Amino acid sequence: GLDAEEAVEVNLEELLDDPTELCTLLENEGAARNFWMIIALAYAKQHKIDHAIEMLTKGLQAMASSNPKEKLSLLSCMCWLFLWKSREAPRMVPEGQHVSEARTKDYYLQASTATLNEASRINPSFPPLFLARGVLYLLRASLQPPSKSLAPGSTDHAERIETLRQAVRSFEDAHRVSGGRNMMAILGRSRAQFSLGKYADALEGYQEVLGKMPDLLDPDPRIGIGCCFWQLGFKDDAKAAWERALEKDPNSKIASILMGLSYLSSSSQVATTDPSFIPLYKKAMTEYTQKAFKLDNRHPLTCATFGGYFLSRKSMVNVENLARKAIELTDVNAIASDGWYLLARKEHYDGNTTRANDFYQKSDQARGGGDRGYLPAKFGMAQIQVIQQDYDGAKFRLEKIIQQTKSIEAMTLLGTLYADEVFTNQSAGFKEDKSVQVKKATAMLEAVRMAWKDPKRHLSPDSSVLLNLARLYEIEHPEKSFQCLQHVEQMELDQIPDEHRPEKTDDEVADRAALRENVPPQLLNNMGCFLYQAEKYDQATMTFQIAMSACVKVGEKDDTIDTDALVTTISYNLARTYEAAGMLDEAKKVYEGLLERHSDYTDANTRLAYIALRQSPTDLGPKAIAKLYQSDSTNLEVRSLYGWYLGKSKKRTSNIAEDQEQRHYKHTLQHHDKHDRYSLTGMGNLYLSTAREMRRDTDSDKEKRRKTYEKAVEFFDKALQLDPRNAYAAQGVGIALVEDKKEFGAAVQVFSKVRETVRDASVYINLGHVYSDLKQYSRAVESYETALAKDRGNDPQILACLGRVWLLKAKQEKSPLAMKNSLDFSQRALELSPEQPHFKFNIAFVQIQLAQLLYTLPDSQRTLQDVQAAAEGLDEAIESLTSIAQSKNPPYPKNDIEQRANMGRNTMRRQLERAVQSQKEYQEKNAAKLQQAREVREAELKKREEDRRRAEEAAMEEKRKVAEERQKMQERDRALAEKRAEEERKKEEAEFSIDENGEKHKKKKRAAGGERKRKKKGDVETETDGDGTGAEGGSARKRGGKSTTSNSAAVTSDEERKPKRRRKLERKGKAGAEGKTFKSKEIVVESESEEEGAKVDGEVKEIGVGGEEWDAEMRDADDEDGDEAVPRQRKKISRRIEDDDDEDEDEEGHAPPQEANGDVEVGDAPSPEGEDAQDHHADEDVPMVDESIAAAGNSVAPQPEALVDS
């Protein structure tokens, strides 16, 4: 109401920085509320939100006395401004600022709530308030933590969920009061439903808005549609929606960052080594994410995404700045979680484990924590626990992660923790059982290894996983351990750059060896050790040699690596491989080379002394052992070798206290190491051998022997307590079980278990002993032979054992062959040790046993040669026993040996003499029987051969006859074909005439005889029989090929145009006798397959093609019609057609096939009453083809080839 002169103009585009003057002006003038609103909104458009709120606050104060409803619009506007400020305010109190002074999101939300409540008290149904209330609930829910995981089927009543549900109800109220026209309400409801996880309902709302307002760009419903599609799993549709949003608004920062995230997701689905990874990642970061950051460098999602990029580049300053922005500016908990995670990773990288763990927890809580939460943050907390050496806490957390999701990283870390626990226990020498940890570690790492094979997961193998598996498998499954090392080697070979790869040659083995020189020598050394244990000495040697070359290359690349230690270890392993392969000279050279560089290398000296003892057991070997022992008598390895030497070279004594080996081991245990496992095992073996030689005549002797065995077992048990895998101590326990308690079954189990660990001949010897006592002689032989193969066939004791077990097997089976094998092994043992009298006694004993066995066998199971050889062996045994009895130290009492020799000389010799005579008589008698049986057999075979020959000749004769018969049939068929061809030629000459121009024309035919009635043009021609009457009367028929009779032949087109006189075919015989007349309109023009006679009126009349009757008819026709040849009517001759198919066609009423000249063959005339031809005896079919021809093949076709082929 001011005058125009007093009006004040306010430029809304150039407002004052301080709105105090404007407020004073409006208050003094009592301005209406719309002025306050306009100016406040102008400040808001210039992003001066605080000035706009100040304007509205002053306006509300100025209108305090006015109608309360006037304040509604101002309060509503202020509520929206507070909501706006809330979105831009920090999420948490900035560092260094007091809590009371901080203006956080929660502060502005409380102010907005107070304003909204005030407006609601004035008018709760004011429409703008519904929408504002929905947005308020939506922003309030973003500050509330996500709900924890729920049990299946339960309802979530968490605070955040309830807040979102209230937001949905508020938006629905706003939509209702607007009559369905408020699109912002629909968008708000969809946003709330999206936060609730109802993606399908949210998608429906976004699509509804897009359908009603396709030009709406701020906010763009296409972005919401894409987010819903993404969550529903339709990622291609989501990308299409976001691309469409960019088409509508190229500067859409939200669409740009979402497209960048979609391409980042695509790049995560391929391996980093894949060629498509770099283009996808580059497009995501440079084309979309960088663009979104340039459009708005404060957008939370863009900041979080770029923070991850700078984290990979180790630019931690940028990571912290971007993470802080993402946390402070976002309204989405997931983005805040990403920001906390970036800060945690930054602190983790810097080594601030306490702050890193705190940030990891906040990141996890932002996504709900507990069973939900953020998996990378949980894994990060487990890593922090590992760094802080809280291994139990880390294992517990990782196991919970694996229960929720099969995370490969979590399984790898957990498997590694269990494996480290096992390795620590092994290296410390603890006796604690870690089999459970071994199983868990193996299961976890094997699951990771299997995941690498899944092509959908795009995982790259990790060498640390394979190396841990190799260490876990080393003892129980060395072959699996070696496979893991091979996999690691292949990974190393694949990573060799092209410039370091050698040039290829024709030798693939050499190329492979040259390439393997680039592999770490430690890996090659371990592989060589596994090959050595598997007794693959050639491969082990090659691997160690390549490892030596690899050491040289490693030293050239990195001077800090101690290559001398590597070369020393690998050289020693190579020498041990030479030694195991029997290449003792090469091994000596390597050991001597090691001693030149390291003169104090005790292991090399020890092996040289052992080689000298093997090569010269009586001269140089003992000297080398004595020198080694004097130079380093405190070394336990040297003392072990010296104790072994004493056990091989000492003199046997019954008093163990005087045994040199026992004294040596006792000294070692008392003064050097009471836990020396070799000395403990050696002491057990000494007591074991002593107990074995003790007498057992009386009960006191047996008791003393039993206690000695118990003493041996005590030493073995002590060694096993120190090393549960000491196979030699376990073997000693097994021997004691057999010899003392006769527990063969338990001993077999022990030895079988030891056999898996110890690759020594002694294990198989003991197994052979036990199997022999169990009377399982075949298994005993197998065990002894395996032991002999490992000792290279040079151990006379093993040969003697084989001789003994074959002897026992021969006695059990009464087999002379087994007895001969026993004798053979006993003789081989004597050849290796001719000075041993007990080996000579063994041979004599086997010879006597063989003679006794052959004597007891029936004549049919032995031969004269065997008995004679046994007699000769008996003589040798008698001489051997006599000489053994006279020796200084016989293996048995002298009297026993002499008695056995006398028994062989007196009793057995006479028995064998009688056996020889009996065998001669038996074989002579049996020889005659055999000769007779042989003659009978030869005669029978000769007879069988003669019968076979006769059968073959008869078969050949039969084939010859069949061939001749076939030849005759073919000749007959050929003659018939020629005859038919001649008849065809004559027929053609009779039917065609040559005009004056030399062209052929078919002669016209006319009927000869019979009554005929010519029809006029347009009349229908009728045919009757000879007298025009019959039992059934004549039947009129139409001409031109349409006949009422099914058997009528078709007439050619020429005959249709030219009327012809036809001759009638009169059927006589039985039909005539019955007074029935048959009519036919068939034209007889040929007779290709007629027989020479046809039955007419009970007589056989000869009809031939080109015969006198046909000539007479032709002459009559020529006389009557000149050039036209009209065939006369002829009596119907019943025929039988050989082709079944033609007969079927005639019966079904089809026209017979036409010949090339238009004529048809003669068929059977149908009965006027429709009766079958078989009912009329006069119409019996007459075969028209030679039976022999029909048998040979096709009886209709005149081609001789078809006849011959048939």
Side-chain angles (χ1 to χ4, degrees):
L2 296 176
D3 296 334
E5 294 83 4
E6 298 177 355
V8 180
E9 292 185 0
V10 179
N11 188 354
L12 298 178
E13 295 181 358
E14 298 179 0
L15 294 172
L16 298 176
D17 293 338
D18 187 1
T20 306
E21 295 182 3
L22 288 175
C23 292
T24 304
L25 176 63
L26 293 175
E27 288 176 359
N28 294 334
E29 296 297 331
R33 62 179 174 84
N34 60 326
F35 291 105
W36 295 94
M37 287 281 294
I38 292 172
I39 296 174
L41 291 176
Y43 273 116
K45 288 182 179 179
Q46 296 178 14
H47 210 76
K48 298 177 180 179
I49 310 301
D50 293 333
H51 294 342
I53 293 174
E54 184 180 353
M55 287 291 299
L56 293 175
T57 304
K58 294 293 182 65
L60 288 171
Q61 293 174 357
M63 300 176 65
S65 59
S66 61
N67 187 358
K69 292 186 178 180
E70 293 292 327
K71 300 179 182 179
L72 276 176
S73 59
L74 295 178
L75 291 171
S76 176
C77 183
M78 184 180 292
C79 179
W80 282 106
L81 291 177
F82 281 133
L83 293 175
W84 189 347
K85 287 291 291 184
S86 173
R87 297 204 65 183
E88 296 181 350
R91 193 180 183 91
M92 302 181 65
V93 178
E95 294 182 2
Q97 191 174 2
H98 197 270
V99 177
S100 60
E101 299 176 355
R103 296 292 184 265
T104 61
K105 291 181 181 293
D106 185 61
Y107 172 83
Y108 287 110
L109 287 180
Q110 291 179 4
S112 177
T113 303
T115 305
L116 187 61
N117 291 336
E118 184 179 354
S120 298
R121 285 192 292 269
I122 297 173
N123 185 5
S125 61
F126 187 54
L129 299 182
F130 293 110
L131 191 62
R133 187 176 291 108
V135 175
L136 175 62
Y137 283 132
L138 204 57
L139 292 176
R140 185 180 296 169
S142 67
L143 298 180
Q144 296 168 348
S147 60
K148 307 293 183 180
S149 59
L150 299 174
S154 60
T155 305
D156 194 349
H157 295 289
E159 183 181 5
R160 178 174 178 273
I161 299 300
E162 291 298 330
T163 304
L164 289 172
R165 289 171 182 167
Q166 290 179 357
V168 171
R169 288 192 290 269
S170 298
F171 287 127
E172 288 177 348
D173 292 340
H175 181 258
R176 186 186 66 256
V177 299
S178 67
R181 297 188 300 273
N182 192 338
M183 296 296 104
M184 295 299 107
I186 300 176
L187 288 175
R189 183 187 64 190
S190 298
R191 177 67 179 82
Q193 290 172 335
F194 186 89
S195 299
L196 286 169
K198 299 178 180 180
Y199 306 117
D201 296 338
L203 176 62
E204 185 178 353
Y206 285 126
Q207 290 175 336
E208 180 183 353
V209 174
L210 182 62
K212 293 180 178 180
M213 297 184 66
D215 296 330
L216 181 62
L217 298 179
D218 189 15
D220 192 344
R222 299 172 185 83
I223 294 176
I225 290 173
C227 292
C228 292
F229 274 134
W230 188 273
Q231 293 295 335
L232 291 171
F234 303 102
K235 297 187 177 182
D236 293 337
D237 295 332
K239 289 178 64 176
W242 295 330
E243 288 173 351
R244 179 59 178 165
L246 284 175
E247 290 177 4
K248 300 291 289 185
D249 183 11
N251 294 325
S252 175
K253 58 186 178 182
I254 301 177
S256 297
I257 187 59
L258 289 174
M259 283 297 298
L261 290 175
S262 69
Y263 278 102
L264 279 177
S265 176
S266 300
S267 67
S268 67
Q269 301 301 317
V270 298
T272 55
T273 56
D274 193 283
S276 61
F277 174 79
I278 297 299
L280 288 172
Y281 188 80
K282 187 175 181 181
K283 189 172 185 178
M285 299 307 300
T286 59
E287 185 174 343
Y288 293 107
T289 306
Q290 189 175 11
K291 176 185 176 182
F293 189 77
K294 290 179 180 179
L295 291 172
D296 184 3
N297 61 1
R298 292 174 58 82
H299 189 265
L301 183 57
T302 306
C303 292
T305 306
F306 248 134
Y309 168 75
F310 284 115
L311 182 66
S312 64
R313 301 292 299 272
K314 303 296 186 296
S315 179
M316 297 304 170
V317 177
N318 293 329
V319 170
E320 184 171 7
N321 293 333
L322 292 170
R324 295 288 182 185
K325 286 183 180 181
I327 295 170
E328 293 174 358
L329 301 176
T330 185
D331 296 327
V332 182
N333 288 321
I335 298 177
S337 175
D338 290 342
W340 290 120
Y341 180 73
L342 290 173
L343 287 177
R345 290 289 302 275
K346 183 256 180 188
E347 298 298 337
H348 193 165
Y349 180 80
D350 293 338
N352 300 324
T353 56
T354 303
R355 288 173 59 85
N357 190 59
D358 183 44
F359 290 147
Y360 279 134
Q361 288 180 351
K362 290 182 178 180
S363 175
D364 184 48
Q365 292 297 327
R367 276 188 163 92
D371 294 338
R372 298 177 65 179
Y374 191 35
L375 178 61
K378 294 179 186 295
F379 184 73
M381 286 187 281
Q383 290 177 312
I384 296 298
Q385 288 177 313
V386 172
I387 294 174
Q388 295 175 348
Q389 296 185 356
D390 182 12
Y391 300 120
D392 293 335
K395 292 174 185 176
F396 179 75
R397 189 179 297 276
L398 290 170
E399 286 176 350
K400 290 190 66 177
I401 292 174
I402 294 172
Q403 288 175 1
Q404 298 170 12
T405 174
K406 298 298 182 181
S407 171
I408 298 301
E409 292 79 6
M411 294 172 69
T412 301
L413 181 55
L414 182 58
T416 303
L417 289 177
Y418 280 124
D420 286 340
E421 184 178 354
V422 174
F423 302 149
T424 302
N425 185 71
Q426 291 176 352
S427 60
F430 298 145
K431 292 182 264 185
E432 187 178 356
D433 184 17
K434 293 293 181 180
S435 58
V436 176
Q437 286 76 6
V438 171
K439 291 180 180 179
K440 288 184 177 180
T442 305
M444 291 294 174
L445 298 179
E446 279 293 349
V448 174
R449 189 180 179 189
M450 291 299 297
W452 298 342
K453 300 178 182 180
D454 187 357
K456 297 180 180 179
R457 308 188 75 163
H458 305 286
L459 297 174
S460 299
D462 187 356
S463 59
S464 63
V465 174
L466 293 169
L467 292 175
N468 284 327
L469 277 173
R471 292 185 65 183
L472 291 170
Y473 284 136
E474 180 178 0
I475 298 175
E476 297 290 342
H477 305 283
E479 67 284 352
K480 292 184 178 180
S481 181
F482 183 69
Q483 291 175 1
C484 293
L485 295 181
Q486 284 182 315
H487 194 174
V488 176
E489 181 193 24
Q490 188 60 46
M491 291 171 59
E492 295 288 342
L493 293 175
D494 295 339
Q495 294 175 3
I496 298 175
D498 294 337
E499 58 269 16
H500 293 162
R501 292 179 177 270
E503 296 182 359
K504 292 185 177 181
T505 61
D506 296 336
D507 190 352
E508 295 183 0
V509 177
D511 293 343
R512 175 76 176 180
L515 186 63
R516 293 179 70 190
E517 292 178 359
N518 297 282
V519 175
Q522 299 90 334
L523 176 62
L524 293 171
N525 178 66
N526 292 337
M527 295 178 67
C529 291
F530 278 106
L531 291 170
Y532 172 85
Q533 293 177 357
E535 299 182 358
K536 299 178 180 179
Y537 302 124
D538 294 338
Q539 298 180 31
T541 301
M542 180 182 295
T543 303
F544 286 132
Q545 291 173 348
I546 296 173
M548 295 283 289
S549 302
C551 288
V552 177
K553 288 193 175 183
V554 168
E556 294 174 353
K557 294 178 182 178
D558 190 355
D559 297 336
T560 61
I561 298 177
D562 186 7
T563 55
D564 181 67
L566 287 174
V567 170
T568 301
T569 302
I570 297 171
S571 298
Y572 179 79
N573 291 337
L574 178 61
R576 288 298 305 270
T577 307
Y578 283 141
E579 190 178 344
M583 304 167 65
L584 300 181
D585 294 337
E586 287 79 359
K588 287 176 62 176
K589 291 179 182 179
V590 178
Y591 288 136
E592 291 169 356
L594 286 173
L595 291 173
E596 289 177 0
R597 291 189 291 121
H598 303 282
S599 58
D600 57 345
Y601 197 178
T602 304
D603 290 338
N605 275 319
T606 303
R607 301 313 302 177
L608 281 174
Y610 176 74
I611 291 174
L613 189 62
R614 288 187 60 182
Q615 291 181 336
S616 179
T618 57
D619 185 14
L620 298 178
K623 294 180 181 179
I625 292 292
K627 182 180 179 181
L628 174 66
Y629 185 68
Q630 292 174 1
S631 63
D632 195 0
S633 61
T634 60
N635 187 286
L636 292 178
E637 294 294 331
V638 174
R639 295 189 68 86
S640 298
L641 178 62
Y642 189 70
W644 173 85
Y645 165 70
L646 291 176
K648 294 290 183 181
S649 59
K650 70 181 179 179
K651 294 182 179 180
R652 302 293 177 182
T653 178
S654 58
N655 188 1
I656 192 173
E658 298 177 358
D659 190 273
Q660 296 180 356
E661 185 182 5
Q662 188 267 351
R663 290 180 178 179
H664 175 76
Y665 290 143
K666 186 176 181 180
H667 186 270
T668 301
L669 293 172
Q670 289 178 347
H671 299 91
H672 295 279
D673 185 5
K674 65 179 181 180
H675 297 305
D676 182 39
R677 290 166 290 181
Y678 188 88
S679 297
L680 290 171
T681 306
M683 288 289 286
N685 286 328
L686 282 174
Y687 278 98
L688 201 65
S689 59
T690 301
R692 187 181 302 119
E693 301 296 333
M694 293 177 68
R695 301 179 65 86
R696 63 197 89 172
D697 298 333
T698 64
D699 293 340
S700 60
D701 292 340
K702 293 179 181 179
E703 181 65 18
K704 187 177 180 180
R705 182 172 179 268
R706 184 185 63 79
K707 289 183 178 180
T708 307
Y709 274 118
E710 290 180 354
K711 189 71 174 178
V713 172
E714 288 179 3
F715 281 106
F716 291 138
D717 285 340
K718 183 64 175 178
L720 287 172
Q721 289 175 8
L722 296 170
D723 182 12
R725 297 184 178 277
N726 190 334
Y728 296 99
Q731 186 174 207
V733 173
I735 295 172
L737 288 173
V738 173
E739 296 181 354
D740 183 27
K741 299 182 179 181
K742 307 300 180 182
E743 296 182 3
F744 301 111
V748 168
Q749 294 181 0
V750 172
F751 292 141
S752 299
K753 194 68 177 177
V754 171
R755 181 179 56 186
E756 300 175 1
T757 305
V758 178
R759 299 178 181 273
D760 189 72
S762 61
V763 183
Y764 295 94
I765 293 173
N766 291 328
L767 273 174
H769 293 339
V770 177
Y771 284 134
S772 178
D773 291 335
L774 290 172
K775 298 183 179 181
Q776 298 180 12
Y777 300 122
S778 298
R779 290 188 175 184
V781 169
E782 182 181 354
S783 299
Y784 286 136
E785 288 179 346
T786 304
L788 189 65
K790 288 185 173 295
D791 201 56
R792 298 175 184 83
N794 296 325
D795 192 335
Q797 295 295 336
I798 301 177
L799 292 170
C801 290
L802 276 169
R804 174 177 173 272
V805 74
W806 275 112
L807 177 65
L808 295 174
K809 185 178 176 65
K811 287 184 176 181
Q812 183 186 51
E813 300 176 357
K814 295 183 179 181
S815 170
L817 180 61
M819 194 71 73
K820 291 178 181 178
N821 289 336
S822 174
L823 182 61
D824 179 59
F825 282 112
S826 300
Q827 290 172 347
R828 288 173 59 185
L830 181 62
E831 291 175 0
L832 293 174
S833 297
E835 72 282 357
Q836 297 292 338
H838 59 277
F839 289 153
K840 191 173 183 181
F841 176 83
N842 290 342
I843 295 175
F845 182 78
V846 173
Q847 289 173 332
I848 292 174
Q849 294 295 321
L850 178 59
Q852 187 174 357
L853 175 64
L854 288 174
Y855 173 73
T856 57
L857 287 177
D859 296 337
S860 59
Q861 296 181 11
R862 65 188 182 186
T863 63
L864 179 61
Q865 292 79 4
D866 293 339
V867 178
Q868 291 175 346
E872 295 175 359
L874 179 62
D875 294 338
E876 295 177 1
I878 293 171
E879 294 178 3
S880 299
L881 292 175
T882 303
S883 62
I884 293 171
Q886 302 300 325
S887 63
K888 185 177 180 180
N889 295 314
Y892 293 98
K894 180 178 179 181
N895 294 332
D896 295 344
I897 298 175
E898 289 178 349
Q899 288 178 4
R900 188 174 294 275
N902 292 332
M903 182 186 68
R905 187 180 298 110
N906 300 324
T907 305
M908 295 192 65
R909 181 176 288 174
R910 289 195 295 271
Q911 289 177 346
L912 282 183
E913 289 175 355
R914 290 196 298 270
V916 168
Q917 185 63 30
S918 173
Q919 191 68 25
K920 285 182 180 179
E921 295 176 355
Y922 170 78
Q923 289 189 357
E924 290 175 356
K925 181 180 180 181
N926 197 38
K929 293 181 179 179
L930 289 175
Q931 181 63 27
Q932 182 179 0
R934 190 178 297 108
E935 292 176 355
V936 173
R937 177 63 177 168
E938 290 177 356
E940 182 180 357
L941 291 176
K942 186 175 181 181
K943 181 181 179 182
R944 290 181 182 179
E945 182 66 22
E946 183 66 22
D947 293 342
R948 186 185 62 79
R949 185 184 60 79
R950 291 176 181 175
E952 291 179 355
E953 291 178 354
M956 292 296 295
E957 180 65 20
E958 184 67 21
K959 289 182 180 179
R960 186 186 61 78
K961 291 181 179 180
V962 171
E964 291 179 356
E965 183 67 20
R966 182 172 296 176
Q967 182 66 24
K968 291 179 181 180
M969 292 170 63
Q970 291 176 356
E971 292 177 357
R972 197 161 51 243
D973 293 344
R974 192 178 295 108
L976 179 60
E978 292 175 356
K979 179 180 178 182
R980 289 181 177 175
E982 180 63 23
E983 292 175 351
E984 182 68 24
R985 185 184 61 76
K986 292 181 179 180
K987 178 179 71 78
E988 185 178 356
E989 290 179 356
E991 291 183 355
F992 290 90
S993 62
I994 301 176
D995 60 7
E996 56 187 8
N997 295 327
E999 297 179 355
K1000 283 186 178 183
H1001 293 280
K1002 190 173 182 180
K1003 296 180 180 180
K1004 296 182 179 180
K1005 303 176 182 179
R1006 59 186 178 85
E1011 294 184 2
R1012 179 178 179 84
K1013 181 179 180 181
R1014 291 186 176 273
K1015 68 182 182 74
K1016 297 182 180 180
K1017 186 176 183 180
D1019 295 340
V1020 179
E1021 179 181 341
T1022 60
E1023 293 182 351
T1024 61
D1025 54 5
D1027 55 0
T1029 61
E1032 297 296 330
S1035 63
R1037 304 191 184 192
K1038 299 172 77 176
R1039 299 195 55 183
K1042 294 182 179 180
S1043 174
T1044 58
T1045 305
S1046 60
N1047 270 8
S1048 300
V1051 184
T1052 62
S1053 59
D1054 292 337
E1055 293 174 346
E1056 290 176 0
R1057 290 192 300 269
K1058 298 180 181 181
K1060 298 181 180 179
R1061 289 179 297 169
R1062 301 184 177 219
R1063 60 185 177 84
K1064 300 180 195 175
L1065 298 178
E1066 181 180 8
R1067 175 170 296 186
K1068 296 182 181 181
K1070 183 177 179 180
E1074 293 176 354
K1076 296 183 180 179
T1077 304
F1078 297 88
K1079 297 182 289 183
S1080 175
K1081 54 185 282 186
E1082 295 179 81
I1083 304 172
V1084 180
V1085 296
E1086 60 178 314
S1087 179
E1088 293 180 358
S1089 59
E1090 292 181 359
E1091 291 288 349
E1092 293 298 327
K1095 189 173 181 181
V1096 180
D1097 292 333
E1099 298 179 357
V1100 178
K1101 183 178 181 181
E1102 298 293 335
I1103 302 177
V1105 178
E1108 295 178 357
E1109 183 176 342
W1110 179 262
D1111 293 340
E1113 293 176 4
M1114 292 301 296
R1115 283 195 297 273
D1116 293 341
D1118 292 338
D1119 293 340
E1120 291 180 10
D1121 295 321
D1123 294 337
E1124 293 184 359
V1126 181
R1128 66 177 177 82
Q1129 193 172 15
R1130 173 178 166 181
K1131 295 180 178 63
K1132 179 68 173 68
I1133 301 176
S1134 177
R1135 297 181 178 178
R1136 181 164 63 106
I1137 306 301
E1138 291 291 327
D1139 194 345
D1140 293 340
D1141 296 337
D1142 295 340
E1143 183 178 40
D1144 294 340
E1145 292 175 0
D1146 292 343
E1147 292 175 355
E1148 293 172 2
H1150 297 291
Q1154 295 184 358
E1155 295 293 329
N1157 57 6
D1159 298 334
V1160 298
E1161 294 181 353
V1162 178
D1164 293 341
S1167 170
E1169 298 176 354
E1171 296 177 349
D1172 196 335
Q1174 294 179 357
D1175 296 335
H1176 304 282
H1177 299 288
D1179 293 338
E1180 291 286 345
D1181 290 341
V1182 179
M1184 302 182 66
V1185 182
D1186 192 345
E1187 294 293 342
S1188 62
I1189 299 176
N1194 189 356
S1195 61
V1196 177
Q1199 300 297 328
E1201 293 83 356
L1203 297 174
V1204 173
D1205 291 343
S1206 300

